[in-house]
Amino acid sequence: MRAVLGNPKAMRRELGRLYVPVKRLRGLIEGTSFGSTYVVPMLFLGLAFSDIRSDPRSPYDDLLGQAVLIVLGLWIFTLLLTQRLSLVRRRFWGSAVGFTTWWISSWLSNLSDFLNGTSDDLWNAVFLTLWPFFIGYYLWSTWHEDRRLRHTLALVGGAQL
């Protein structure tokens, strides 16, 4: 068997790059993502919007309020785009988009505090600068995880999942 597949550790690592682990796939099949897909993003978008619209108002609040509404629109648009996917991939993308929406709304809320002058420490500035890179990396890794999920579903005949 070693002559055909090679080193077991190397083979496990290479297969891990192509396919989703069984435990993760089982969680996507059996679990639900209602809270992370719908409840949490709406809650945090509402909190970010109320934080931006609170007193004292800054000249940037209207722009940040519009940014929250744009994020809300993109969240709804993405959920509509994923409706044609299989249930497993829809759960996967729903929770990923919900988590991303939560991150962006937290970033916008902190940006509002920073621009209003209520939080002007160095760590907040570092957070505001680096957070978009973390969001971008998360979306990039989510895209690759979806590729692995598609390979796994094709292997197990998961078109009906």
Side-chain angles (χ1 to χ4, degrees):
M1 189 159 160
R2 263 184 197 235
V4 175
L5 296 177
N7 183 357
K9 284 185 178 181
M11 189 44 92
R12 187 176 306 124
R13 185 177 62 244
E14 291 300 318
L15 288 173
R17 289 181 184 161
L18 288 176
Y19 301 106
V20 173
V22 174
K23 187 176 181 179
R24 172 82 168 124
L25 183 63
R26 189 173 294 129
L28 286 170
I29 292 171
E30 296 171 357
T32 180
S33 63
F34 183 80
S36 62
T37 302
Y38 301 106
V39 177
V40 172
M42 285 302 292
L43 176 70
F44 278 96
L45 282 171
L47 288 174
F49 192 74
S50 68
D51 184 39
I52 290 168
R53 296 308 238 173
S54 66
D55 290 326
R57 294 190 38 88
S58 79
Y60 302 103
D61 283 351
D62 290 334
L63 181 64
L64 291 172
Q66 291 171 2
V68 169
L69 293 176
I70 289 170
V71 170
L72 174 67
L74 289 173
W75 172 65
I76 291 170
F77 180 69
T78 305
L79 290 177
L80 291 174
L81 282 178
T82 59
Q83 290 305 306
R84 291 187 163 213
L85 299 177
S86 66
L87 177 63
V88 174
R89 287 185 66 207
R90 196 167 52 239
R91 283 182 182 162
F92 172 76
W93 277 107
S95 62
V97 168
F99 191 63
T100 305
T101 304
W102 169 63
W103 272 13
I104 292 172
S105 63
S106 298
W107 184 79
L108 287 171
S109 180
N110 283 325
L111 182 62
S112 172
D113 291 343
F114 186 76
L115 292 175
N116 285 337
T118 57
S119 175
D120 57 355
D121 60 344
L122 176 66
W123 291 112
N124 197 19
V126 170
F127 167 78
L128 290 172
T129 305
L130 294 179
W131 204 248
F133 293 108
F134 291 133
I135 293 170
Y137 176 76
Y138 177 74
L139 290 174
W140 179 79
S141 64
T142 300
W143 183 264
H144 288 285
E145 182 78 12
D146 180 60
R147 183 177 49 101
R148 291 174 55 209
L149 182 60
R150 283 184 282 132
H151 288 166
T152 304
L153 290 174
L155 181 70
V156 297
Q160 68 275 6
L161 294 177

